[in-house]
Each structure stands twice: as C-alpha cells, then as structure tokens.
Amino acid sequence: MEIPMTLRIGETAPDFEADTTEGRIKFHDWIGNSWAVLFSHPKDFTPVCTTELGYMARIKPEFDKRNVKIIGISVDPIDRHAKWAEDIKETQGFAPNYPMIGDPDLKVAKAYGMLPAETSGSSEGRTAADNQTVRNVFVIGPDKKIKLVLVYPMTTGRNFDEVLRVIDSLQLTAKHRVATPAQWQNGQDVIIAGSVSDDEAKKIFPSGWKAPRPYIRIVPQPK
C-alpha cells in the first residue's frame, strides 16, 4: 500500500513562488521573521469558505498583535479571488485584508500534500468535491518549520479562535520551558516541560510548583 505524502510537524514548510491578490511572493521571504498561518480552500465561491475568509478578516488585528501573517490559498486564479472578495464583504461584513494565493496549476496544493502529487491538469473544470482535501490550516514559525496542521472536512467551518489559542501556546512554549494543559487559555497556569529535571526547574521556577503527581508540575504562566 502506498502511503500518501503529508507534511509533518517539525518539517520545513515547502517554499514556493506564486501570484497573490497582493502581488507575486516567494513564500519564505514573505514570512520573514514573523509567524504565518496558511489556510486553504478547495474552490472560490464555496459557502463555508466564504464565512471563514470573512471571519479571518474580522480578527486579523489579533494575528497582527502576535506577529502572525495570514495568507489564504484557493486553487482558482487570482482574478476569481477578487470577484469572490466582493461577495465576502457583502455577506460577511469584511473582505479579505490579507493576500490570497492563486494556485491554478495546483502546485502549492500538491507541495503541501493537500492533493496527490499525481493529480494532473489545472484548476479548470475541477469541482470543490474534487479538491475537498484542500481544507488545511498550517501554522509556520519564523524558522519556517511547520508547528501545527489542522485538517477539516468541507462541511465543518473552521474555528479560528482555536488557531489563535494554539499560537499563544506555541509562542509561549517556544520562549519558556513549559507546556500548556487541556483547554488552556492565555494567562492560565501551565505545566513545566517534561524535559526539565526537578533540579533545573528549581533554578527556572524558584517560587516552586504544585505537583498533584511528580510528573505534573504546575506553575503560573511565565511573563
């Protein structure tokens, strides 16, 4: 059995050049020293994606605050994205205020494992059902490594508040040697990372910690 290629956490995000609604970009250069969210859509003028693109535009200031750039991708060409943006503004109250990649030759979708590498042809004539695997969210760090992959079915709109919550955790745990528990929200207690010995932990967290079990060491979120 052939195992399909998917990108894993910790791998370098494939670099690419593409046309976007805000000009041509080279992806890694565009990310620069920021974090990035790349979220994909199977086709323009699809109902669930219309709501998602509008919501992302609405909460973009939250991503800006965290030094995170947003970029969307749909396999259709960018002139169709521009027409779609009008509908998004009219129906959702916000038009995309971030670039949308056009991927008519399906190059980016294939590089990111969202369509099989052997898929032939272009976006022309393909339906949303043909592209239903192009429904991923990738969070990419300033080191260009993939930090999170979320995959949704076409019938379930994505929860971008959850993406923000995960970014808060990723940024905190990149800076401090902690992990975040289930349902954690920014500002709540965290767990000392398992890779930190008790001796080390005493130096890093001189005020000590609560330990309901020796392996669960709870401390206030570091500033």
Side-chain angles (χ1 to χ4, degrees):
M1 185 179 101
E2 195 182 324
I3 299 191
M5 279 296 294
T6 52
L7 291 173
R8 293 182 182 87
I9 287 175
E11 289 182 347
T12 300
D15 198 9
F16 58 84
E17 273 193 56
D19 290 321
T20 79
T21 48
E22 297 182 9
R24 193 159 178 84
I25 64 156
K26 196 164 185 306
F27 189 49
H28 283 194
D29 292 349
W30 177 83
I31 296 173
N33 295 318
S34 303
W35 292 67
V37 172
L38 170 68
F39 67 119
S40 61
H41 303 276
K43 193 114 189 95
D44 289 6
F45 303 100
T46 47
V48 174
C49 294
T50 300
T51 64
E52 292 173 333
L53 289 160
Y55 188 74
M56 269 301 241
R58 181 191 301 265
I59 64 168
K60 183 173 179 281
E62 290 299 322
F63 287 93
D64 294 342
K65 248 192 259 178
R66 293 162 171 81
N67 187 31
V68 181
K69 293 180 173 179
I70 305 171
I71 193 161
I73 173 173
S74 175
V75 298
D76 285 324
I78 53 173
D79 57 345
R80 283 177 63 81
H81 294 353
K83 292 192 184 79
W84 190 16
E86 293 166 23
D87 283 7
I88 295 164
K89 178 154 180 42
E90 225 163 277
T91 60
Q92 309 305 309
F94 286 82
N97 45 11
Y98 44 82
M100 284 285 290
I101 298 164
D103 191 28
D105 54 9
L106 315 178
K107 242 185 2 211
V108 181
K110 289 186 212 174
Y112 277 75
M114 296 183 284
L115 284 174
E118 63 277 8
T119 306
S120 59
S122 69
S123 62
E124 194 63 40
R126 289 179 69 85
T127 66
D130 296 329
N131 301 334
Q132 60 186 300
T133 48
V134 188
R135 287 276 294 147
N136 291 13
V137 180
F138 297 95
V139 175
I140 298 157
D143 57 0
K144 316 301 182 280
K145 298 254 190 295
I146 291 171
K147 308 297 181 185
L148 174 80
V149 184
L150 290 171
V151 188
Y152 283 74
M154 281 186 20
T155 46
T156 302
R158 288 173 265 197
N159 182 337
F160 291 111
D161 294 346
E162 166 63 2
V163 176
L164 280 172
R165 188 190 78 87
V166 175
I167 287 167
D168 283 340
S169 171
L170 288 167
Q171 293 185 339
L172 178 73
T173 57
K175 199 170 161 195
H176 300 281
R177 296 176 71 188
V178 295
T180 57
Q183 305 301 112
W184 174 85
Q185 297 288 341
N186 201 3
Q188 293 177 347
D189 287 354
V190 297
I191 296 167
I192 300 171
S195 58
V196 178
S197 71
D198 279 355
D199 286 344
E200 266 187 296
K202 282 174 192 153
K203 293 183 191 129
I204 304 169
F205 304 99
S207 315
W209 54 84
K210 290 183 297 216
R213 289 290 181 276
Y215 60 90
I216 307 173
R217 297 166 297 172
I218 299 162
V219 289
Q221 177 177 324
K223 293 285 176 273

